[in-house]
Amino acid sequence: MHRRLHLALLLSAACVASAQNQVPQNGASQTTSPAPPPTVSTTPSEEKTKPPSARQRSEAEKLYLEGAKALDHEDLTTAQKDFARAVELDPTNERYKAANEIALQHQATGLVQAADKARLTGHTDEAREDLARAFRLDPTNPMLAQHVDDIARDAAPDREARFPEAETLAPPLILAPDTARRSFHVRANTPELLRQVLTAYGVTPTLDSSVKSQNVRFDVDDVDFAEAARLVKLLTNTFFVPLDPKRVLIAQDTKDNRAKFERLAVETVYFPGLTPTEISDMGNVAKTLFDIQQASVSPSTSTLTVRAPSSKLAALNTTLHELLDGQSEIQLDLRLYDIAKTKTQNIGAQLPTQATVFNVPSQLNSVLSGNQSLVQQIISAGLADPNDPAAIAAVLIGSGAVTGSILNQPFALFGGGLTLSGLAVGPATANLALNSSDSRTLDQVTLRALDHEDSTIRSGTRYPIITSTYSNLGGSQLNVSGISTPGLSSTLTNLGLNQSSLASFGQTIPQVQYEDLGLTLKVKPYVQKDQDVTLNLDLKITSLQGTLINSIPVLDNQQYTAIITLHQGESALVVSALSKTQSSAVSGVPGLSNLPGFQSTTNDSTDLDYSNLVILITPHIVRLAHKQDAGRMILLPLHP
């Protein structure tokens, strides 16, 4: 935009220069005589105007060049000031004037655009200020004239504020008595008393024929109209109906007279966000508590239309305002920790638990007699002495020809000769093993709940359990004459019934019930007077036990119920042991393993498996309704 402006300045200067130096050309030189100057009346200041000096022209040219540079840097304010100063120094130069006018127009246009943006964003004051600056710069700008009208409409007072009665159809009449305070000491009949009291405040009474005439005494000091009217109504058993701000109709306070004279107002109350049931409850409040029988509820439009005296409508609006204030909102931050740990250890030495005693000669003879051919080969080969059966048996065992014999195991010898015996003991083992696993699961949930309302959190799965089955007890096929026989009619065939579909009646149909396995937490918060939060907790953990009864799994339930009170930001900790299994096995020598000092010879195997659930719940009050202890007291008029 600024480059176009700079080009416009150069073009305008060129046009001015050409206009000043233009000479008509007709193919021949022509001399033109200057036209006589027009007769113009000049002021003394114009007569004294002198042409600029050379110094002023030089300074003006310098300012013009600085303004052009500022224009290149998109600084319209500085450029316009330089052009204006150049015009002041050299008013005869048309370039300076054209540049100044163009800069003023573009600066005003920029202010108008800024005012548009400010108005769209809702900053009407800023938009009005920008337009005022633009008007001071360029009052003849055509864009400015359009936007000034828009800002003027925004600055004008709202129609509702200027004419509030224009938005209300037939508003209730309100008396406008004098505000002075009066004192009365009157002893007269009822009509005279009413006239004296009302006329004292500038109100003209009109008495109905139902007003009873009886002598009364009225003594009060320094009361205003409202207090005096209330006392007079109680003393005379009457009620007032305003006819205009200065006139009132007075009638005996009876049910028929109120139905006859009392003015009724119609009002529609909107209940956005309420359910149809809640809107119906609002209608019941109007009918039951305030005795407003002309109350119509429209759940489709969420409205309640009532027709009643203005005093009852004011009391109803106050009550509905208290009810629509709603309930307090509480944010519950829950953290669920599932801690599971498994530990298996086997530490200790396991000594032999059995020993075998045998006769060595008998075992040798048994080995030799069972391998005679091998014995002959050993003797013929000279591997062993024929009179040394132990050496022959050793060769047989060493060569692997004999297996499964007790002689293949280590044994100890005792005795001699025919009573030479051997002792073989079982193996001994030493164990040093540890297997441990630890897992922790964190689940964080944020829940918003209403005061005095139940909220439920479930974490787990829904498990299907077959509770019962239905099947055909008569066989796999349905035998009905004319249907399941070859005489099946064509009509049934067209309906899709055939032999295979009839046989399907014998299939088993299960009845499935889904059970929630895992964690179920129900919370009902209560906000106390001191803004503490009471939580009604109901924790239930359901799992499969692992056993079946009639093919139906047995469920294991754990439930915890408590009522706790917390300050805002405090946390309640609930810990539950989901499962715990511990087993221990001891292996060793009977009697010896129980003696002090011999436990090290015992092999101890321990298995530990447990799972814990930790719940951390923290309440925060997000919205606090009904901060006061009680609602405002509403005094309703007593009618017969």
Side-chain angles (χ1 to χ4, degrees):
M1 181 184 70
H2 300 295
R3 294 187 180 277
R4 291 197 300 269
L5 174 59
H6 186 60
L7 181 60
L9 291 176
L10 296 178
L11 291 176
S12 63
C15 292
V16 171
S18 62
Q20 292 178 350
N21 301 325
Q22 185 176 7
V23 176
Q25 297 178 0
N26 294 328
S29 63
Q30 295 182 0
T31 60
T32 58
S33 60
T39 303
V40 180
S41 60
T42 59
T43 61
S45 61
E46 292 176 346
E47 292 178 354
K48 296 181 181 180
T49 304
K50 297 180 180 181
S53 63
R55 181 179 179 182
Q56 289 177 337
R57 287 193 182 96
S58 176
E59 187 175 354
E61 185 68 21
K62 185 185 298 183
L63 288 172
Y64 176 77
L65 294 176
E66 291 179 357
K69 292 179 181 179
L71 193 62
D72 288 337
H73 292 85
E74 300 182 359
D75 189 357
L76 288 176
T77 303
T78 304
Q80 189 270 326
K81 291 181 179 179
D82 292 339
F83 293 153
R85 179 61 180 161
V87 171
E88 291 178 1
L89 294 175
D90 187 5
T92 62
N93 194 318
E94 297 296 334
R95 290 185 302 151
Y96 301 163
K97 294 181 180 180
N100 186 34
E101 291 295 331
I102 294 176
L104 283 175
Q105 292 178 5
H106 280 267
Q107 190 174 1
T109 303
L111 289 173
V112 171
Q113 295 175 353
D116 283 340
K117 295 180 181 179
R119 185 183 175 210
L120 292 175
T121 56
H123 300 83
T124 56
D125 295 337
E126 183 180 349
R128 199 175 297 112
E129 182 180 353
D130 291 339
L131 287 177
R133 291 174 55 195
F135 184 80
R136 288 193 296 268
L137 290 175
D138 188 11
T140 61
N141 194 312
M143 294 180 59
L144 182 62
Q146 302 174 5
H147 291 79
V148 166
D149 295 338
D150 296 337
I151 296 299
R153 285 194 296 270
D154 293 340
D158 295 339
R159 178 177 178 83
E160 183 177 358
R162 289 181 295 162
F163 308 104
E165 67 278 2
E167 303 298 333
T168 307
L169 181 62
L173 292 175
I174 300 176
L175 287 175
D178 297 341
T179 58
R181 304 180 73 89
R182 307 285 188 223
S183 299
F184 300 94
H185 300 281
V186 181
R187 184 175 294 180
N189 57 20
T190 301
E192 183 64 23
L193 173 64
L194 292 171
R195 289 189 184 93
Q196 290 188 25
V197 173
L198 293 180
T199 55
Y201 294 97
V203 178
T204 303
T206 300
L207 274 67
D208 184 65
S209 59
S210 61
V211 178
K212 298 179 181 180
S213 178
Q214 57 183 2
N215 294 327
V216 293
R217 181 178 178 179
F218 188 61
D219 293 320
V220 293
D221 292 323
D222 194 25
V223 293
D224 59 5
F225 176 78
E227 295 173 345
R230 182 172 59 86
L231 294 175
V232 168
K233 290 178 185 178
L234 293 176
L235 184 62
T236 61
N237 192 25
T238 57
F239 69 99
F240 298 169
V241 179
L243 300 178
D244 58 37
K246 292 295 183 180
R247 293 192 306 141
V248 66
L249 173 65
I250 304 176
Q252 197 71 25
D253 194 357
T254 62
K255 186 175 183 180
D256 294 338
N257 284 343
R258 284 191 174 271
K260 180 180 179 181
F261 297 111
E262 197 168 31
R263 294 178 180 270
L264 300 181
V266 179
E267 197 168 83
T268 301
V269 185
Y270 295 90
F271 301 107
L274 296 187
T275 63
T277 303
E278 293 173 340
I279 297 176
S280 300
D281 293 339
M282 295 297 178
N284 295 333
V285 169
K287 294 178 180 179
T288 305
L289 297 183
F290 297 93
D291 195 23
I292 301 177
Q293 299 304 321
Q294 301 184 37
S296 176
V297 177
S298 177
S300 59
T301 58
S302 301
T303 58
L304 169 65
T305 303
V306 291
R307 188 168 184 261
S310 57
S311 59
K312 286 188 177 181
L313 288 182
L316 176 62
N317 287 332
T318 303
T319 303
L320 293 180
H321 178 75
E322 296 282 344
L323 295 176
L324 293 177
D325 196 14
Q327 299 168 280
S328 300
E329 292 186 16
I330 298 93
Q331 176 178 312
L332 300 175
D333 295 334
L334 285 90
R335 294 186 179 183
L336 309 178
Y337 299 90
D338 186 6
I339 303 174
K341 188 173 183 179
T342 302
K343 182 179 181 181
T344 302
Q345 68 178 21
N346 188 357
I347 301 174
Q350 186 174 358
L351 299 178
T353 57
Q354 62 181 2
T356 304
V357 180
F358 59 93
N359 185 262
V360 175
S362 299
Q363 289 296 327
L364 291 175
N365 293 332
S366 175
V367 170
L368 296 177
S369 61
N371 300 276
Q372 288 295 328
S373 59
L374 295 177
V375 171
Q376 294 299 328
Q377 293 178 8
I378 292 172
I379 295 173
S380 60
L383 297 176
D385 189 358
N387 297 322
D388 191 358
I392 297 174
V395 174
L396 290 174
I397 294 173
S399 62
V402 176
T403 60
S405 175
I406 197 172
L407 297 178
N408 292 91
Q409 302 176 6
F411 57 90
L413 298 175
F414 62 91
L418 296 177
T419 61
L420 180 64
S421 301
L423 176 62
V425 297
T429 58
N431 298 315
L432 186 61
L434 174 63
N435 186 9
S436 179
S437 63
D438 189 359
S439 63
R440 300 183 182 184
T441 304
L442 172 62
D443 190 5
Q444 185 171 355
V445 180
T446 300
L447 174 68
R448 281 204 175 188
L450 290 177
D451 188 18
H452 293 76
E453 296 290 340
D454 289 322
S455 299
T456 303
I457 299 175
R458 288 189 174 93
S459 178
T461 58
R462 292 179 58 83
Y463 186 79
I465 297 178
I466 299 178
T467 57
S468 60
T469 57
Y470 296 90
S471 59
N472 182 15
L473 301 178
S476 61
Q477 292 186 354
L478 182 65
N479 296 320
V480 180
S481 177
I483 295 180
S484 57
T485 60
L488 183 65
S489 65
S490 60
T491 302
L492 295 178
T493 303
N494 294 332
L495 294 176
L497 293 176
N498 48 37
Q499 190 70 20
S500 59
S501 63
L502 293 174
S504 64
F505 290 138
Q507 296 179 358
T508 300
I509 303 174
Q511 296 293 319
V512 179
Q513 179 179 349
Y514 286 88
E515 294 289 341
D516 293 324
L517 301 183
L519 170 69
T520 302
L521 178 62
K522 295 182 179 180
V523 183
K524 189 174 185 179
Y526 299 89
V527 178
Q528 304 297 333
K529 176 182 177 181
D530 56 356
Q531 299 186 13
D532 289 349
V533 181
T534 298
L535 300 178
N536 192 347
L537 299 178
D538 186 2
L539 174 63
K540 185 178 180 182
I541 301 173
T542 305
S543 60
L544 295 175
Q545 191 180 40
T547 59
L548 301 176
I549 298 178
N550 294 330
S551 300
I552 298 176
V554 178
L555 301 180
D556 185 11
N557 294 326
Q558 300 180 26
Q559 190 168 4
Y560 170 77
T561 304
I563 300 177
I564 56 177
T565 301
L566 302 170
H567 293 294
Q568 287 196 66
E570 288 187 349
S571 300
L573 183 65
V574 180
V575 182
S576 174
L578 298 179
S579 64
K580 185 175 182 180
T581 304
Q582 183 175 2
S583 61
S584 180
V586 178
S587 300
V589 180
L592 183 62
S593 299
N594 297 328
L595 296 177
F598 291 92
Q599 284 83 359
S600 60
T601 62
T602 302
N603 189 62
D604 187 4
S605 178
T606 304
D607 293 335
L608 179 62
D609 185 5
Y610 68 89
S611 177
N612 290 335
L613 177 65
V614 179
I615 301 177
L616 195 65
I617 180 169
T618 307
H620 301 278
I621 298 178
V622 179
R623 177 179 175 271
L624 183 62
H626 306 290
K627 299 179 182 179
Q628 66 278 6
D629 295 339
R632 188 172 57 182
M633 182 180 294
I634 303 173
L635 298 178
L636 295 177
L638 298 177
H639 306 319

